[in-house]
Amino acid sequence: MVSLLDIIGPVMVGPSSSHTAGACRIGLLTRALCGDTPERALIELHGSFAKTGEGHGTDRALVGGLLGFEPDDGRLRDALALAEIAGMVVTFATVKLRDVHPNTARLTVERDGQKVVVVGSSLGGGRIAVCEIDGLPVDLSGEYPTLVIVAPDQPGTLAAITAELAADGVNVATVRVSRNRPGGVALHLYELDDPPEPQVVALLAELPAVRTVRLLERVS
Amino acid sequence: MFDSLAQALEAADERGVSLGTLALEKEAQRGTRTHAEVVAGLQRALHVMRDARTRGLTGDVRSVSGLVGGDARKVATSQHGPLRGTLFSEALSGALAVQEVNAAMGVIVAAPTAGAAGVLPGVLLALADRSGASEEALVRALAAAGLVGAVIAQRASLSGAEGGCQAETGSAAAMAAAAGVELLAGSTAQADAAVGLAMQGTLGLVCDPVGGFVEVPCVFRNATAASIALAGIEMGMAGVRIPIPTDEIIDAMAEIGRTMDIRYRETAGGGLAATPTGRRLARGRLGPVRGG
């Protein structure tokens, strides 16, 4: 059901909820997956993002999101210059991706020798969907606090993780597991109703089957 | 919130409250936010609207492409127009100001969308300046506008890509009409009429942005939509009644939107975008990013 504040809102930097606010959220979610401001970012624009992105400030909004600016942050307009000051090296390119929404970008970000590749789409009204992380298909809205867990693809991992969540009283809204190949690396996404306590994240990270755990806060 | 405006008006009449008061009560009953949180959210929206208007009227505002900007100030300071110095002129300059700020990547309130963000603050703040309305009255006016927007979202659409500009600036004009009547302490019947009269005036309006950018004609169309909202308020308050119920006018907007050719739904394939000059501007001016 629609809320009054959905109609009289959101407060945002113009000019377009899909090209600016949505792009900023894709940047924010990518930043969260990276852990902090990336040292390097390759931003590849697809479809309408590539065609009309510059005039809509899509480039600045994506970079602003990577810098941690929210969609209502007036600094978005100056994000390209601010990225330079922050020491983030940004490269832009256009790309043709297959079977994705017209407003889509692929972001390859690096920090501390770690690389994350994110494909995200802006669906309109500022809503987004991340459809690929490191080449693995996902469907992530950013509307829920989300645990992103990387683990080897082996039996029992899902059970171990959900057992830990159950023991901590954490309710899971949606769960999705994908992998690069059988026995390879699996990516687990748990969308939660409420953000878990920090110790839950620490406990999950200590599970023998788990390689890395990252908590994505709600991108509102 | 409500499936129809008629349902909302009936509920308001039963309780003996205005649309805005009803909207605030209904929103708190949803349970996701308290009454205080809803009011705080609308107060923040009001604050951002005021800031955006001030910036558009006084600051050096240029859009990212350089195609629009500076016209709000022209209207606000003009000594030549027949409406100079009137509330009507202030609504026009206010709508231009906020939409110019939007095009310049400034901070605005999408109401209901970013591309139509100038209409509601243009009309509402011009009325408030003249009447010295209290903050509470302005919050109620925004809530009334939000209720109308929610009904339109439910029955039709608020997206130019789905329903053309009638769904964006048209919906914003209908919302501004409700806000205006609320601020003028009009009856629910007057609010109903003002919303319907504003909405009918924008039926069929296409979304044809040059180059696909929220600039031309969007900035100007926010001002013309503000004038339609004021016409709706003036007629509605005077007791003018359109014999088609407002909900049916909204349904007509939905029907027109559904059958509107794709060229007229934000794709820049028709209308002003497809004029020789529109195409030339899209090629020439909108290539490299100007300014900073």
Side-chain angles (χ1 to χ4, degrees), chain A residues 144-176:
Chain A
Y144 296 89
T146 305
L147 285 165
V148 180
I149 298 176
V150 178
D153 180 36
Q154 63 188 38
T157 313
L158 185 64
I161 294 168
T162 51
E164 184 58 55
L165 291 173
D168 297 309
V170 176
N171 193 44
V172 175
T174 73
V175 58
R176 169 143 187 172

mmCIF file of all heavy atoms in Angstrom, chain A residues 144-176:
data_model
loop_
_atom_site.group_PDB
_atom_site.id
_atom_site.type_symbol
_atom_site.label_atom_id
_atom_site.label_comp_id
_atom_site.label_asym_id
_atom_site.label_seq_id
_atom_site.Cartn_x
_atom_site.Cartn_y
_atom_site.Cartn_z
ATOM 1 N N TYR A 144 15.942 -4.516 2.065
ATOM 2 C CA TYR A 144 16.070 -5.231 3.339
ATOM 3 C C TYR A 144 17.536 -5.227 3.770
ATOM 4 O O TYR A 144 18.424 -5.188 2.920
ATOM 5 C CB TYR A 144 15.654 -6.697 3.193
ATOM 6 C CG TYR A 144 14.221 -6.933 2.850
ATOM 7 C CD1 TYR A 144 13.819 -6.992 1.519
ATOM 8 C CD2 TYR A 144 13.264 -7.121 3.849
ATOM 9 C CE1 TYR A 144 12.486 -7.217 1.183
ATOM 10 C CE2 TYR A 144 11.945 -7.361 3.521
ATOM 11 C CZ TYR A 144 11.558 -7.411 2.195
ATOM 12 O OH TYR A 144 10.245 -7.645 1.876
ATOM 13 N N PRO A 145 17.797 -5.282 5.075
ATOM 14 C CA PRO A 145 19.165 -5.573 5.493
ATOM 15 C C PRO A 145 19.524 -6.953 4.933
ATOM 16 O O PRO A 145 18.713 -7.875 5.018
ATOM 17 C CB PRO A 145 19.086 -5.615 7.024
ATOM 18 C CG PRO A 145 17.758 -5.055 7.389
ATOM 19 C CD PRO A 145 16.854 -5.209 6.204
ATOM 20 N N THR A 146 20.686 -7.077 4.334
ATOM 21 C CA THR A 146 21.012 -8.322 3.632
ATOM 22 C C THR A 146 22.388 -8.845 4.040
ATOM 23 O O THR A 146 23.367 -8.090 4.068
ATOM 24 C CB THR A 146 20.999 -8.089 2.105
ATOM 25 O OG1 THR A 146 19.741 -7.543 1.742
ATOM 26 C CG2 THR A 146 21.236 -9.381 1.341
ATOM 27 N N LEU A 147 22.432 -10.124 4.368
ATOM 28 C CA LEU A 147 23.716 -10.782 4.622
ATOM 29 C C LEU A 147 24.232 -11.353 3.311
ATOM 30 O O LEU A 147 23.515 -12.095 2.630
ATOM 31 C CB LEU A 147 23.541 -11.919 5.632
ATOM 32 C CG LEU A 147 23.354 -11.492 7.093
ATOM 33 C CD1 LEU A 147 22.832 -12.668 7.913
ATOM 34 C CD2 LEU A 147 24.649 -10.956 7.678
ATOM 35 N N VAL A 148 25.437 -10.961 2.943
ATOM 36 C CA VAL A 148 26.068 -11.486 1.731
ATOM 37 C C VAL A 148 27.199 -12.398 2.190
ATOM 38 O O VAL A 148 28.162 -11.954 2.814
ATOM 39 C CB VAL A 148 26.617 -10.350 0.854
ATOM 40 C CG1 VAL A 148 27.258 -10.913 -0.406
ATOM 41 C CG2 VAL A 148 25.506 -9.372 0.500
ATOM 42 N N ILE A 149 27.058 -13.671 1.927
ATOM 43 C CA ILE A 149 28.015 -14.650 2.446
ATOM 44 C C ILE A 149 28.642 -15.427 1.287
ATOM 45 O O ILE A 149 27.939 -15.927 0.414
ATOM 46 C CB ILE A 149 27.314 -15.632 3.425
ATOM 47 C CG1 ILE A 149 26.765 -14.830 4.628
ATOM 48 C CG2 ILE A 149 28.280 -16.723 3.875
ATOM 49 C CD1 ILE A 149 25.985 -15.662 5.614
ATOM 50 N N VAL A 150 29.959 -15.483 1.286
ATOM 51 C CA VAL A 150 30.675 -16.279 0.283
ATOM 52 C C VAL A 150 31.173 -17.547 0.976
ATOM 53 O O VAL A 150 31.764 -17.476 2.065
ATOM 54 C CB VAL A 150 31.853 -15.491 -0.312
ATOM 55 C CG1 VAL A 150 32.620 -16.342 -1.322
ATOM 56 C CG2 VAL A 150 31.354 -14.211 -0.977
ATOM 57 N N ALA A 151 30.899 -18.680 0.347
ATOM 58 C CA ALA A 151 31.283 -19.959 0.953
ATOM 59 C C ALA A 151 31.588 -20.960 -0.149
ATOM 60 O O ALA A 151 31.089 -20.808 -1.263
ATOM 61 C CB ALA A 151 30.139 -20.471 1.836
ATOM 62 N N PRO A 152 32.369 -21.978 0.146
ATOM 63 C CA PRO A 152 32.572 -23.031 -0.853
ATOM 64 C C PRO A 152 31.245 -23.730 -1.130
ATOM 65 O O PRO A 152 30.396 -23.817 -0.248
ATOM 66 C CB PRO A 152 33.553 -23.999 -0.182
ATOM 67 C CG PRO A 152 34.064 -23.309 1.029
ATOM 68 C CD PRO A 152 33.070 -22.270 1.415
ATOM 69 N N ASP A 153 31.044 -24.186 -2.356
ATOM 70 C CA ASP A 153 29.823 -24.909 -2.710
ATOM 71 C C ASP A 153 29.940 -26.343 -2.215
ATOM 72 O O ASP A 153 30.509 -27.197 -2.890
ATOM 73 C CB ASP A 153 29.639 -24.855 -4.236
ATOM 74 C CG ASP A 153 28.380 -25.594 -4.670
ATOM 75 O OD1 ASP A 153 27.384 -25.530 -3.921
ATOM 76 O OD2 ASP A 153 28.405 -26.226 -5.748
ATOM 77 N N GLN A 154 29.427 -26.587 -1.013
ATOM 78 C CA GLN A 154 29.497 -27.940 -0.446
ATOM 79 C C GLN A 154 28.271 -28.205 0.419
ATOM 80 O O GLN A 154 27.632 -27.252 0.887
ATOM 81 C CB GLN A 154 30.782 -28.092 0.384
ATOM 82 C CG GLN A 154 30.818 -27.165 1.577
ATOM 83 C CD GLN A 154 32.166 -27.176 2.288
ATOM 84 O OE1 GLN A 154 33.208 -27.261 1.655
ATOM 85 N NE2 GLN A 154 32.139 -27.082 3.608
ATOM 86 N N PRO A 155 27.932 -29.477 0.646
ATOM 87 C CA PRO A 155 26.705 -29.781 1.401
ATOM 88 C C PRO A 155 26.774 -29.241 2.834
ATOM 89 O O PRO A 155 27.850 -29.216 3.432
ATOM 90 C CB PRO A 155 26.650 -31.322 1.414
ATOM 91 C CG PRO A 155 27.588 -31.755 0.335
ATOM 92 C CD PRO A 155 28.621 -30.687 0.196
ATOM 93 N N GLY A 156 25.626 -28.795 3.333
ATOM 94 C CA GLY A 156 25.530 -28.418 4.737
ATOM 95 C C GLY A 156 25.775 -26.960 5.045
ATOM 96 O O GLY A 156 25.517 -26.513 6.163
ATOM 97 N N THR A 157 26.273 -26.184 4.058
ATOM 98 C CA THR A 157 26.592 -24.792 4.346
ATOM 99 C C THR A 157 25.338 -23.988 4.669
ATOM 100 O O THR A 157 25.287 -23.250 5.647
ATOM 101 C CB THR A 157 27.309 -24.153 3.129
ATOM 102 O OG1 THR A 157 28.330 -25.049 2.704
ATOM 103 C CG2 THR A 157 27.908 -22.821 3.494
ATOM 104 N N LEU A 158 24.331 -24.155 3.816
ATOM 105 C CA LEU A 158 23.069 -23.439 4.012
ATOM 106 C C LEU A 158 22.483 -23.778 5.380
ATOM 107 O O LEU A 158 22.038 -22.901 6.128
ATOM 108 C CB LEU A 158 22.101 -23.826 2.888
ATOM 109 C CG LEU A 158 20.766 -23.111 2.810
ATOM 110 C CD1 LEU A 158 20.968 -21.642 2.519
ATOM 111 C CD2 LEU A 158 19.903 -23.744 1.726
ATOM 112 N N ALA A 159 22.502 -25.075 5.735
ATOM 113 C CA ALA A 159 21.951 -25.519 7.020
ATOM 114 C C ALA A 159 22.715 -24.890 8.176
ATOM 115 O O ALA A 159 22.122 -24.445 9.169
ATOM 116 C CB ALA A 159 22.004 -27.035 7.108
ATOM 117 N N ALA A 160 24.043 -24.843 8.053
ATOM 118 C CA ALA A 160 24.865 -24.282 9.144
ATOM 119 C C ALA A 160 24.549 -22.809 9.351
ATOM 120 O O ALA A 160 24.432 -22.328 10.486
ATOM 121 C CB ALA A 160 26.349 -24.478 8.808
ATOM 122 N N ILE A 161 24.399 -22.094 8.237
ATOM 123 C CA ILE A 161 24.130 -20.655 8.335
ATOM 124 C C ILE A 161 22.740 -20.400 8.908
ATOM 125 O O ILE A 161 22.564 -19.601 9.824
ATOM 126 C CB ILE A 161 24.271 -19.975 6.941
ATOM 127 C CG1 ILE A 161 25.735 -20.040 6.475
ATOM 128 C CG2 ILE A 161 23.798 -18.532 6.993
ATOM 129 C CD1 ILE A 161 25.947 -19.673 5.017
ATOM 130 N N THR A 162 21.738 -21.119 8.375
ATOM 131 C CA THR A 162 20.373 -20.871 8.852
ATOM 132 C C THR A 162 20.210 -21.337 10.301
ATOM 133 O O THR A 162 19.447 -20.744 11.060
ATOM 134 C CB THR A 162 19.320 -21.549 7.950
ATOM 135 O OG1 THR A 162 19.690 -22.911 7.779
ATOM 136 C CG2 THR A 162 19.223 -20.861 6.613
ATOM 137 N N ALA A 163 20.956 -22.373 10.695
ATOM 138 C CA ALA A 163 20.897 -22.817 12.105
ATOM 139 C C ALA A 163 21.403 -21.706 13.013
ATOM 140 O O ALA A 163 20.822 -21.426 14.072
ATOM 141 C CB ALA A 163 21.740 -24.077 12.289
ATOM 142 N N GLU A 164 22.473 -21.046 12.583
ATOM 143 C CA GLU A 164 23.025 -19.947 13.377
ATOM 144 C C GLU A 164 22.012 -18.795 13.461
ATOM 145 O O GLU A 164 21.781 -18.222 14.523
ATOM 146 C CB GLU A 164 24.341 -19.465 12.748
ATOM 147 C CG GLU A 164 25.063 -18.393 13.535
ATOM 148 C CD GLU A 164 25.411 -18.837 14.954
ATOM 149 O OE1 GLU A 164 26.057 -19.870 15.114
ATOM 150 O OE2 GLU A 164 25.003 -18.125 15.911
ATOM 151 N N LEU A 165 21.400 -18.475 12.311
ATOM 152 C CA LEU A 165 20.403 -17.399 12.289
ATOM 153 C C LEU A 165 19.216 -17.753 13.184
ATOM 154 O O LEU A 165 18.696 -16.909 13.913
ATOM 155 C CB LEU A 165 19.928 -17.137 10.852
ATOM 156 C CG LEU A 165 20.960 -16.503 9.911
ATOM 157 C CD1 LEU A 165 20.414 -16.451 8.483
ATOM 158 C CD2 LEU A 165 21.334 -15.097 10.374
ATOM 159 N N ALA A 166 18.803 -19.019 13.118
ATOM 160 C CA ALA A 166 17.676 -19.458 13.941
ATOM 161 C C ALA A 166 18.006 -19.331 15.422
ATOM 162 O O ALA A 166 17.193 -18.850 16.215
ATOM 163 C CB ALA A 166 17.323 -20.905 13.597
ATOM 164 N N ALA A 167 19.222 -19.737 15.784
ATOM 165 C CA ALA A 167 19.638 -19.680 17.190
ATOM 166 C C ALA A 167 19.646 -18.240 17.698
ATOM 167 O O ALA A 167 19.411 -17.985 18.878
ATOM 168 C CB ALA A 167 21.027 -20.297 17.342
ATOM 169 N N ASP A 168 19.890 -17.294 16.778
ATOM 170 C CA ASP A 168 19.933 -15.900 17.179
ATOM 171 C C ASP A 168 18.589 -15.189 17.006
ATOM 172 O O ASP A 168 18.491 -13.978 17.210
ATOM 173 C CB ASP A 168 21.004 -15.159 16.363
ATOM 174 C CG ASP A 168 22.395 -15.715 16.631
ATOM 175 O OD1 ASP A 168 22.742 -15.812 17.819
ATOM 176 O OD2 ASP A 168 23.090 -16.086 15.679
ATOM 177 N N GLY A 169 17.576 -15.953 16.601
ATOM 178 C CA GLY A 169 16.236 -15.369 16.474
ATOM 179 C C GLY A 169 16.097 -14.402 15.318
ATOM 180 O O GLY A 169 15.277 -13.488 15.363
ATOM 181 N N VAL A 170 16.911 -14.602 14.268
ATOM 182 C CA VAL A 170 16.841 -13.707 13.109
ATOM 183 C C VAL A 170 15.876 -14.297 12.082
ATOM 184 O O VAL A 170 16.013 -15.457 11.702
ATOM 185 C CB VAL A 170 18.240 -13.548 12.464
ATOM 186 C CG1 VAL A 170 18.152 -12.702 11.193
ATOM 187 C CG2 VAL A 170 19.205 -12.929 13.460
ATOM 188 N N ASN A 171 14.887 -13.476 11.669
ATOM 189 C CA ASN A 171 13.936 -13.975 10.673
ATOM 190 C C ASN A 171 14.404 -13.625 9.262
ATOM 191 O O ASN A 171 14.793 -12.495 8.972
ATOM 192 C CB ASN A 171 12.545 -13.384 10.917
ATOM 193 C CG ASN A 171 11.488 -14.116 10.108
ATOM 194 O OD1 ASN A 171 11.498 -15.354 10.053
ATOM 195 N ND2 ASN A 171 10.609 -13.377 9.457
ATOM 196 N N VAL A 172 14.370 -14.630 8.375
ATOM 197 C CA VAL A 172 14.826 -14.433 6.995
ATOM 198 C C VAL A 172 13.607 -14.151 6.112
ATOM 199 O O VAL A 172 12.626 -14.895 6.134
ATOM 200 C CB VAL A 172 15.550 -15.704 6.487
ATOM 201 C CG1 VAL A 172 15.916 -15.550 5.018
ATOM 202 C CG2 VAL A 172 16.787 -15.965 7.329
ATOM 203 N N ALA A 173 13.684 -13.055 5.354
ATOM 204 C CA ALA A 173 12.586 -12.719 4.437
ATOM 205 C C ALA A 173 12.729 -13.500 3.143
ATOM 206 O O ALA A 173 11.785 -14.134 2.669
ATOM 207 C CB ALA A 173 12.566 -11.218 4.159
ATOM 208 N N THR A 174 13.911 -13.453 2.545
ATOM 209 C CA THR A 174 14.165 -14.239 1.335
ATOM 210 C C THR A 174 15.578 -14.783 1.413
ATOM 211 O O THR A 174 16.438 -14.239 2.106
ATOM 212 C CB THR A 174 14.074 -13.417 0.037
ATOM 213 O OG1 THR A 174 15.228 -12.576 -0.054
ATOM 214 C CG2 THR A 174 12.828 -12.557 -0.024
ATOM 215 N N VAL A 175 15.819 -15.867 0.691
ATOM 216 C CA VAL A 175 17.173 -16.409 0.626
ATOM 217 C C VAL A 175 17.448 -16.847 -0.805
ATOM 218 O O VAL A 175 16.565 -17.310 -1.515
ATOM 219 C CB VAL A 175 17.371 -17.574 1.620
ATOM 220 C CG1 VAL A 175 16.367 -18.680 1.355
ATOM 221 C CG2 VAL A 175 18.785 -18.122 1.546
ATOM 222 N N ARG A 176 18.681 -16.612 -1.244
ATOM 223 C CA ARG A 176 19.052 -17.053 -2.589
ATOM 224 C C ARG A 176 20.508 -17.508 -2.564
ATOM 225 O O ARG A 176 21.376 -16.826 -2.024
ATOM 226 C CB ARG A 176 18.878 -15.916 -3.576
ATOM 227 C CG ARG A 176 19.495 -16.223 -4.917
ATOM 228 C CD ARG A 176 18.700 -15.682 -6.076
ATOM 229 N NE ARG A 176 19.289 -16.190 -7.315
ATOM 230 C CZ ARG A 176 18.750 -16.026 -8.493
ATOM 231 N NH1 ARG A 176 17.608 -15.398 -8.609
ATOM 232 N NH2 ARG A 176 19.344 -16.499 -9.568
#
